[in-house]
Amino acid sequence: MTTKTHDEKIAKLTFTSVYPHYVTKVEKKGRTKAELHQIISWLTGYTEKQLQQFIEHEITFEQFFLNAQLNVNAHLIKGVICGYRVEELENPLTQQVRYLDKLVDELAKGRKMEKILRHK
């Protein structure tokens, strides 16, 4: 269970400020920025060009997910990230951000791409 304050903090956090941490996390574990972009695109539907625009501008996660076309299999992302079970989060935006965190974590842990992208 998250608090309203926690959810508001997540909404105001900028994608631009978190993105370099995603890159560092996956590259430190031998994965690539291209793979990171692939999982972000899978989750959100954004193109490489759109991602570059988001990275260059100070947009919040609220703005980032506002026009995202969440993958139909996103609900298959399960497990604990940052102390929260993602499938139980009630705030949709917080859940979407934690979905992304979970995918990045799986990539950094060496999980196969077809498993990360929830192909059946």
Side-chain angles (χ1 to χ4, degrees):
M1 203 55 111
T2 61
T3 64
K4 184 177 180 181
T5 306
H6 176 265
D7 293 335
E8 288 170 356
K9 184 178 173 185
I10 293 285
K12 291 181 177 146
L13 196 62
T14 64
F15 176 73
T16 306
S17 69
V18 176
Y19 174 78
H21 298 288
Y22 289 156
V23 173
T24 300
K25 184 173 187 170
V26 301
E27 287 182 342
K28 193 164 61 172
K29 297 293 186 165
R31 302 306 286 259
T32 66
K33 193 186 292 188
E35 289 174 309
L36 174 62
H37 287 194
Q38 184 180 356
I39 64 169
I40 295 171
S41 293
W42 176 86
L43 179 63
T44 63
Y46 292 136
T47 66
E48 184 69 27
K49 184 178 179 181
Q50 288 171 306
L51 281 180
Q52 289 304 323
Q53 290 172 339
F54 294 141
I55 293 164
E56 292 169 12
H57 298 91
E58 291 287 323
I59 66 159
T60 64
F61 271 115
E62 185 172 36
Q63 294 165 319
F64 181 79
F65 280 104
L66 185 65
N67 295 312
Q69 299 297 312
L70 217 57
N71 189 289
V72 295
N73 288 333
H75 70 281
L76 298 174
I77 302 169
K78 299 187 186 307
V80 176
I81 191 77
C82 301
Y84 298 99
R85 184 155 288 285
V86 294
E87 64 271 25
E88 294 175 359
L89 291 171
E90 293 179 8
N91 181 287
L93 177 61
T94 300
Q95 185 176 51
Q96 292 166 359
V97 173
R98 294 304 183 200
Y99 279 163
L100 180 55
D101 290 342
K102 184 70 175 161
L103 295 177
V104 171
D105 194 52
E106 289 176 358
L107 182 64
K109 287 182 176 176
R111 194 163 193 208
K112 292 183 180 188
M113 193 58 83
E114 59 269 11
K115 296 279 189 190
I116 296 170
L117 302 183
R118 292 358 190 225
H119 292 299
K120 291 189 172 195

